[in-house]
Amino acid sequence: MPAHPVMTSEVPRAAVPRSGSGGSDFAQLTRRITAEGLLDRRPGYYAVRAGLVLAAFFGGWYALFALGNTWWQLGLAAAMSVVFAQLGLLTHDLAHRQVFDRKPPSEAGGRITANLLMGMSYGWWMNKHTRHHANPNHEERDPDVAPELLVWSKRQARNATGVARFIGRRQAYLFVPLLLLEGLNLSFNSFRALRSPVMKRPVLEGVLLVVHFVAYFGLVFTALPAGKAVAFLAVHQALLGIYLGCVFAPNHKGMLMVTPEMELDFLRRQVLTSRNVRGGPVIDSVMGGLNYQVEHHLFPSMPTPALARAARITREFCAEKGVPYCEAGLFASYREVFAHLHRTGEPIRSGD
């Protein structure tokens, strides 16, 4: 099945909110989803998933010492980048209360997986991600499309200055090299956010981050000579950034960019700005369920194993309502992302 056409910044006709006697379109869809039990918790699934991720995490550190002084450690560094990314995906599900109903265990679990094990601030990421969910792909309100290094719309390109204007000229070519630094960027922003008023538990989060990095650097430099230790850290952080970028980039990049003058109801605001990635169980595992981005944005607390069934229901519902529903294969979605980056940089290249 070919991918649907990429949305442009023009509001499609399907974006006009509609409702019938059964309430809003989203309310109608919610009733179908609820009737299937797709919002019910799946504790068994998350117990197994968390157990496997934690086993891989502690097993990796054991392997670090078991392998000893060898360049094969770089292969372990690559493997550990996958484990750290999976910790990030598990943090994501905890933050959305897919694992626990209640806020306290969700936050406690999130701080353990994010701050202590992964080295990323849960509070900083949660604040940023909540704003993204409220206004996906909104040029002014979504922090994930803020024109800091890259520009995500031609309007942003025309107004770009400084680093964003410099990078924007060739951002399609620089996107992957920049992802090599994303792991470091997460760590930097995590520590910087500790002074932010949005942080609810800055002392706790700061202590957990310090414990993480002391243990992280301590284990690596204890197990390996300095040269190999630095190489291990470089490979681990670079591939972590690549992995996370490849998971998150296809979800929204290249889809409808929302401007302040647009008026969209909740269902269309989420569906028109999101792209699903096809691929079956392997892609589901690698992307942690985020390949069902449409359904995740409509129902953020839906457990990962319910998303595939929810996608079939949502796809059929959108067809009934005439709402474009975008899904593509993994590589097709990447092509759309890079094509979008190239298009949006055009005003800078042409001097508009």
Side-chain angles (χ1 to χ4, degrees):
M1 182 185 297
H4 289 268
V6 177
M7 301 290 185
T8 68
S9 59
E10 179 181 357
V11 182
R13 295 184 62 181
V16 180
R18 294 184 296 173
S19 62
S21 59
S24 70
D25 289 342
F26 178 66
Q28 296 174 42
L29 175 60
T30 300
R31 285 194 288 272
R32 296 188 191 185
I33 293 293
T34 304
E36 295 288 331
L38 298 178
L39 295 175
D40 297 344
R41 292 292 176 269
R42 306 290 182 90
Y45 164 82
Y46 279 107
V48 172
R49 177 175 165 185
L52 291 173
V53 173
L54 291 174
F57 178 80
F58 291 109
W61 292 121
Y62 172 81
L64 177 70
F65 287 89
L67 282 173
N69 185 4
T70 171
W71 286 107
W72 287 108
Q73 292 280 11
L74 299 186
L76 177 62
M80 288 298 283
S81 71
V82 175
V83 175
F84 271 52
Q86 288 294 323
L87 284 170
L89 294 171
L90 186 58
T91 298
H92 172 272
D93 288 10
L94 284 161
H96 281 294
R97 299 198 201 177
Q98 296 175 21
V99 184
F100 302 109
D101 284 315
R102 297 172 56 246
K103 184 177 181 179
S106 298
E107 289 188 341
R111 290 191 177 102
I112 290 171
T113 55
N115 293 64
L116 184 60
L117 301 184
M118 186 184 173
M120 178 185 75
S121 167
Y122 175 83
W124 162 74
W125 177 84
M126 181 64 171
N127 176 271
K128 177 174 177 286
H129 194 63
T130 299
R131 289 185 285 132
H132 158 70
H133 265 264
N135 292 282
N137 270 17
H138 193 291
E139 287 188 343
E140 297 180 359
R141 299 175 185 171
D142 183 356
D144 287 354
V145 293
E148 297 174 349
L149 289 179
L150 304 172
V151 292
W152 302 104
S153 71
K154 289 188 176 180
R155 179 185 298 189
Q156 289 182 347
R158 294 186 185 99
N159 296 325
T161 59
V163 176
R165 186 169 186 84
F166 176 77
I167 293 178
R169 295 176 180 275
R170 296 289 181 268
Q171 61 182 14
Y173 302 99
L174 296 174
F175 182 64
V176 172
L178 286 172
L179 288 181
L180 295 170
L181 302 175
E182 181 59 22
L184 298 177
N185 182 55
L186 292 176
S187 300
F188 172 76
N189 282 311
S190 293
F191 278 104
R192 186 175 67 171
L194 295 177
R195 297 183 177 181
S196 172
V198 305
M199 293 289 288
K200 297 179 180 179
R201 305 288 296 276
V203 174
L204 174 60
E205 294 220 10
V207 169
L208 291 175
L209 285 172
V210 170
V211 170
H212 166 83
F213 282 104
V214 168
Y216 178 60
F217 290 115
L219 288 170
V220 174
F221 278 95
T222 299
L224 300 173
K228 288 187 177 70
V230 171
F232 181 99
L233 295 172
V235 169
H236 178 239
Q237 290 296 318
L239 294 184
L240 173 61
I242 291 288
Y243 190 142
L244 292 174
C246 288
V247 167
F248 284 95
N251 300 338
H252 302 282
K253 306 306 184 262
M255 297 301 296
L256 175 73
M257 289 293 294
V258 180
T259 58
E261 56 270 17
M262 293 183 186
E263 295 184 5
L264 303 173
D265 66 351
F266 178 79
L267 182 137
R268 287 161 180 80
R269 184 166 71 247
Q270 304 299 340
V271 173
L272 298 177
T273 59
S274 302
R275 177 194 296 108
N276 280 11
V277 178
R278 294 190 300 268
V282 173
I283 295 298
D284 292 358
S285 298
V286 171
M287 299 187 72
L290 294 184
N291 47 311
Y292 299 106
Q293 192 67 194
V294 173
E295 290 67 37
H296 171 61
H297 263 255
L298 289 170
F299 306 100
S301 65
M302 180 179 290
T304 296
L307 290 168
R309 171 62 181 154
R312 292 191 288 270
I313 295 172
T314 304
R315 188 186 308 113
E316 293 169 0
F317 183 84
C318 287
E320 294 172 13
K321 300 295 182 179
V323 178
Y325 180 101
C326 185
E327 56 182 352
L330 183 63
F331 293 107
S333 68
Y334 290 145
R335 284 196 297 271
E336 292 175 7
V337 170
F338 286 111
H340 173 72
L341 286 168
H342 187 70
R343 283 195 305 271
T344 54
E346 194 277 331
I348 300 176
R349 294 192 298 274
S350 64
D352 291 352

